[in-house]
């Protein structure tokens, strides 16, 4: 499961870096975002780095035997979430698909920043199991970038209306991830 998630995360992250280089296709709904520049570049840089780095933080051998690498990547992950999350909140207010989609992304961005902040607070207080649980929640939210990009082509294949599907996906790309994260945390605790 880890390899699959890491591979999907890396593909989506590396493809997203195209916004930094200004190359490749930009979907029409993104071009129509009212707050595109400079926020999409900040968002792609931060959020994609969080997606790229995140999976490695869950490798037990790296955590146990290379704590310096874990702490360094952890700082990169948190800084990337901060940049990706704040810019996501700005982008959410400019979404061309309307307020239902905008609210979905704003709620996701708020949950992402909150989970990551609590995870940092827990490790600063020395509460390692709670830090682990909140980082699972944080990364489950980071993975919304992957689930969104799996659902979008599916709805297109099913011939569904793009704007209506997009409004649903703005919520569906992360709420089920939260349920899976809680099940995973529950199974790990027992
Ligand atoms: C988890 C919280 C996230 C939130 C709240 C969020 C929010 C947003 C919003 C509002 C937009 C503009 C959508 C529109 O105008 O229709 C956007 C676009 C984008 N986001 Fe995120 N995002 C998140 C995570 C990520 C992650 C982890 C990545 C990593 C790859 C990412 C990469 C992108 C890219 C590349 C775009 C441009 C659209 C595209 O080319 O597919 N986002 N995001």
């Amino acid at each position: 499961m880890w390899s699959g998630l890491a591979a999907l995360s890396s593909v989506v992250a590396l493809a997203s870096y195209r916004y930094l280089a200004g190359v490749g296709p930009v979907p029409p709904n993104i071009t129509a975002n009212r707050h595109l520049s400079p926020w999409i570049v900040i968002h792609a840089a931060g959020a994609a780095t969080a997606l790229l780095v995140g999976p490695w933080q869950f490798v037990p051998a790296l955590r146990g035997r290379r704590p310096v690498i874990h702490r360094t990547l952890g700082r990169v992950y948190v800084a990337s979430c901060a940049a990706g999350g704040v810019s996501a909140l700005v982008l959410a207010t400019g979404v061309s698909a309307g307020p239902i989609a905008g609210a979905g992304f704003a709620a996701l961005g708020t949950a992402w920043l909150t989970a990551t902040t609590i995870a940092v607070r827990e490790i600063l207080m020395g509460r390692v199991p709670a830090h682990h649980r909140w980082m699972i929640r944080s990364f489950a939210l980071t993975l919304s970038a992957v689930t969104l990009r799996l659902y979008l082509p599916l709805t297109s294949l099913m011939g569904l209306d793009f704007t209506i599907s997009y409004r649903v996906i703005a919520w569906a790309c992360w709420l089920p991830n939260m349920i899976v994260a809680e099940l995973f945390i529950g199974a790990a605790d027992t």
Side-chain angles (χ1 to χ4, degrees), residues 121-142:
R121 192 196 62 188
E122 293 302 328
I123 199 61
L124 292 178
M125 306 285 279
R127 296 193 283 249
V128 176
H131 167 70
H132 193 205
R133 283 195 296 273
W134 281 102
M135 274 306 182
I136 290 172
R137 293 179 182 118
S138 169
F139 192 63
L141 292 166
T142 310

Side-chain angles (χ1 to χ4, degrees), residues 16 18-19 29-30 33 43 47 105 109 112 141-142 145 149 166:
S16 301
R18 74 186 187 279
Y19 284 89
N29 64 301
I30 300 301
N33 188 298
H43 181 64
F105 288 126
W112 196 32
L141 292 166
T142 310
R149 285 161 185 83
Y166 197 71

Side-chain angles (χ1 to χ4, degrees), residues 9 11-19 25-27 29-36 40 43-52 81 84-85 87-98 101-102 104-113 138 140-146 148-149 152 162 166 170 173-174:
S9 299
V11 169
V12 172
L14 294 174
S16 301
Y17 281 139
R18 74 186 187 279
Y19 284 89
V26 178
N29 64 301
I30 300 301
T31 318
N33 188 298
R34 289 193 303 281
H35 304 308
L36 198 64
I40 195 72
H43 181 64
T49 304
L51 196 56
L52 201 59
C81 288
S87 51
L89 292 179
V90 180
L91 287 168
T93 63
V95 168
S96 59
F105 288 126
L108 165 61
T110 307
W112 196 32
L113 288 169
S138 169
L141 292 166
T142 310
L143 280 174
S144 63
V146 174
L148 179 138
R149 285 161 185 83
L152 270 182
F162 174 81
Y166 197 71
C173 70
W174 64 279

Side-chain angles (χ1 to χ4, degrees), residues 6-77:
L8 280 172
S9 299
S10 305
V11 169
V12 172
L14 294 174
S16 301
Y17 281 139
R18 74 186 187 279
Y19 284 89
L20 277 68
V23 294
V26 178
N29 64 301
I30 300 301
T31 318
N33 188 298
R34 289 193 303 281
H35 304 308
L36 198 64
S37 180
W39 299 104
I40 195 72
V41 175
I42 299 169
H43 181 64
T49 304
L51 196 56
L52 201 59
V53 164
W56 299 100
Q57 295 300 83
F58 294 99
V59 176
L62 209 58
R63 279 206 311 271
R65 280 191 240 129
R66 299 259 189 266
V68 176
I69 295 181
H70 180 75
R71 282 188 205 125
T72 307
L73 289 183
R75 288 187 183 104
V76 172
Y77 178 81

